[in-house]
Amino acid sequence: MSRLVYILLLLATVLVSACESDANISIRVSPQTVVYAFAEIGNECEINAYQSVSYTDKDQYRPLAKGTKVRLNVNLNTQYEAVLDGASTKVKFNGLDLTPNTYFSVEVEKSDGESTYASSRIPPSPNVFMVGTDTTLIDGSEYIACTLRLLDSGHGDHFYQLIARDKWNNVVNDVIYSDIFFEEAKANMLTETNSYGLFTNSGYIGRLMILHCYIPVKNVPENFALELYQQTYEHYCYLQSIAVHEAYILLPVFSQNGLYTNVYNGIGLVSGVNKWRLDFSNE
């Protein structure tokens, strides 16, 4: 046997052994504190706080220990607090004074003194001043053509999302967003699962934006609604990163790079939201 053949056989044996060893490796990831809180204009804020090693697998969600404190601070001067019972993962605070530009923060303090926290604000209301609807055919199927006129406030970068909902308040699938605003927002994404109708005011600061979307009539046989959200920068970045992550099959753990979060000493998202909504009857 030549020396070259011997070396090749030895290399093949090493590679096969390595593959067998890798197959038996047990990857252990420590659970992290997960915090999700979304505050809208009004008087209520729900906070979800738990432990997990995955942001996709609900079976791996675990309640935080009994005695964990959840705090909500509004405008740096009003504080609300609740204590988890070791079984629940949600806390709801009512009677809040949430208006545009209200700042708020969320803190989760575990029994060992370790804290997870994040802050955000309520963005301004989107300025929609005209809406029109019509019907049209696209590739032989009937669609509802919706046109919105949005005037950007002109003060810095803004982040928007246009969503159609059915009468059960579910997001309508297969909506066509045809404008350049939406295409630019999707430029770095590999999927649109969590980024329906996402766009920014890039290039249109302080200007009129005319938005179009086409809703399949078959998906909204009765009532439907259009919602235009004005979101925070962190919410926009989070939606983009989730969309990219969902393009891959094997990215369940927090150790993967690229998942955006504004939560310190944990993961998740705390964000304010302001939305405009208009209901339509399709009967």
Side-chain angles (χ1 to χ4, degrees), residues 2 12 95 110 143 168 187 195 225 246-247 268 274 282-283:
S2 69
K110 294 190 284 189
Y143 282 75
W168 298 282
S195 56
E246 288 192 344
N274 203 336
N282 200 29
E283 297 176 337

Side-chain angles (χ1 to χ4, degrees), residues 15-271:
L15 290 174
V16 170
S17 299
C19 291
E20 290 177 351
S21 299
D22 289 344
N24 294 324
I25 292 176
S26 177
I27 300 175
R28 297 182 180 275
V29 180
S30 299
Q32 292 199 39
T33 301
V34 184
V35 179
Y36 285 104
F38 300 96
E40 293 189 30
I41 292 292
N43 62 354
E44 182 180 289
C45 179
E46 182 176 275
I47 301 171
N48 291 266
Y50 51 89
Q51 290 188 81
S52 182
V53 297
S54 168
Y55 75 89
T56 58
D57 189 351
K58 294 184 179 180
D59 293 335
Q60 298 188 51
Y61 292 4
R62 292 184 288 178
L64 293 167
K66 182 178 180 180
T68 299
K69 297 178 181 178
V70 179
R71 300 188 184 95
L72 174 67
N73 299 288
V74 179
N75 278 337
L76 304 178
N77 53 23
T78 304
Q79 185 178 89
Y80 304 84
E81 182 177 288
V83 179
L84 297 179
D85 59 8
S88 61
T89 61
K90 295 182 180 180
V91 172
K92 185 178 292 185
F93 296 108
N94 298 303
L96 309 177
D97 184 17
L98 299 176
T99 58
N101 296 316
T102 295
Y103 283 86
F104 66 97
S105 63
V106 172
E107 180 183 6
V108 177
E109 182 183 336
K110 294 190 284 189
S111 55
D112 60 5
E114 185 180 61
S115 292
T116 299
Y117 60 94
S119 61
S120 187
R121 68 181 181 90
I122 304 293
S125 176
N127 186 11
V128 178
F129 66 92
M130 188 176 295
V131 183
T133 61
D134 201 351
T135 57
T136 187
L137 291 177
I138 300 177
D139 295 330
S141 298
E142 188 176 10
Y143 282 75
I144 302 170
C146 301
T147 303
L148 286 79
R149 285 169 169 78
L150 168 68
L151 181 61
D152 186 74
S153 66
H155 302 290
D157 296 330
H158 292 154
F159 309 93
Y160 302 99
Q161 188 173 23
L162 178 61
I163 294 177
R165 295 189 182 274
D166 61 22
K167 70 174 185 177
W168 298 282
N169 212 36
N170 299 314
V171 176
V172 178
N173 294 319
D174 302 323
V175 175
I176 297 174
Y177 300 97
S178 59
D179 298 309
I180 189 173
F181 314 108
F182 306 111
E183 294 304 317
E184 290 179 349
K186 292 186 295 186
N188 297 318
M189 296 187 198
L190 302 179
T191 179
E192 301 173 46
T193 305
N194 280 282
S195 56
Y196 294 106
L198 196 64
F199 66 103
T200 74
N201 65 340
S202 177
Y204 288 84
I205 297 177
R207 296 170 58 187
L208 174 68
M209 288 184 278
I210 302 178
L211 313 173
H212 302 88
C213 68
Y214 300 87
I215 305 170
V217 172
K218 65 180 181 180
N219 291 352
V220 286
E222 300 178 41
N223 302 331
F224 71 97
L226 285 177
E227 292 183 340
L228 180 65
Y229 293 79
Q230 181 151 331
Q231 298 171 336
T232 59
Y233 171 75
E234 56 265 22
H235 199 162
Y236 178 81
C237 292
Y238 174 82
L239 288 173
Q240 288 219 13
S241 69
I242 286 289
V244 171
H245 272 63
E246 288 192 344
Y248 298 92
I249 298 175
L250 299 176
L251 287 179
V253 296
F254 293 137
S255 58
Q256 303 296 335
N257 294 324
L259 181 62
Y260 180 89
T261 179
N262 66 334
V263 177
Y264 295 91
N265 200 27
I267 202 163
L269 178 68
V270 171
S271 178

